[in-house]
Amino acid sequence: MWNQTDNGETIGTIGSESGEIIKDEEYSKGARLTLEKGGDIAPYSITSGVYGCFFHTTYLSTLEEGVNELYAMKAEISEFFDTETTSDEEQDWIMAFVGRH
């Protein structure tokens, strides 16, 4: 299940890309997605991470792109946790996820 990180306390604070956090959610099985606006590199960014596996940042031009990308990432990460994988399959999934996002 996806829930707001720290009960929403991170909203409005500065994120890892030096932008204002506008959405910050954690997945109960071990992942986090943070959407920021106004960062140093792009108008919007999403920092995605699956704990113990990877962290990745995606840069976007508009809020609409950011929200669409966030929902796509949430679906893919949820499916990843619901699928049994070998270590090689996990690495393949990570490379594919990063390539798409």
Side-chain angles (χ1 to χ4, degrees):
M1 172 179 278
W2 289 93
N3 294 301
Q4 284 191 359
T5 303
D6 296 333
N7 296 316
E9 302 250 343
T10 59
I11 304 302
T13 64
I14 301 301
S16 63
E17 296 301 307
S18 300
E20 179 185 349
I21 295 175
I22 57 175
K23 196 151 187 72
D24 194 10
E25 296 187 15
E26 278 190 294
Y27 190 57
S28 59
K29 294 183 180 180
R32 185 172 178 174
L33 293 170
T34 305
L35 175 61
E36 298 176 36
K37 71 175 179 179
D40 288 337
I41 295 175
Y44 293 90
S45 61
I46 299 173
T47 304
S48 55
V50 173
Y51 303 143
C53 292
F54 75 95
F55 283 93
H56 174 68
T57 303
T58 304
Y59 300 104
L60 306 133
S61 298
T62 67
L63 178 58
E64 182 180 6
E65 284 179 319
V67 170
N68 290 338
E69 191 76 3
L70 186 82
Y71 285 115
M73 289 176 167
K74 284 172 71 171
E76 288 181 41
I77 291 170
S78 296
E79 184 178 334
F80 169 74
F81 277 106
D82 291 339
T83 305
E84 267 191 52
T85 58
T86 65
S87 180
D88 287 342
E89 290 170 331
E90 182 178 294
Q91 289 302 312
D92 290 344
W93 181 87
I94 292 168
M95 295 304 292
F97 180 91
V98 169
R100 280 189 299 278
H101 305 286

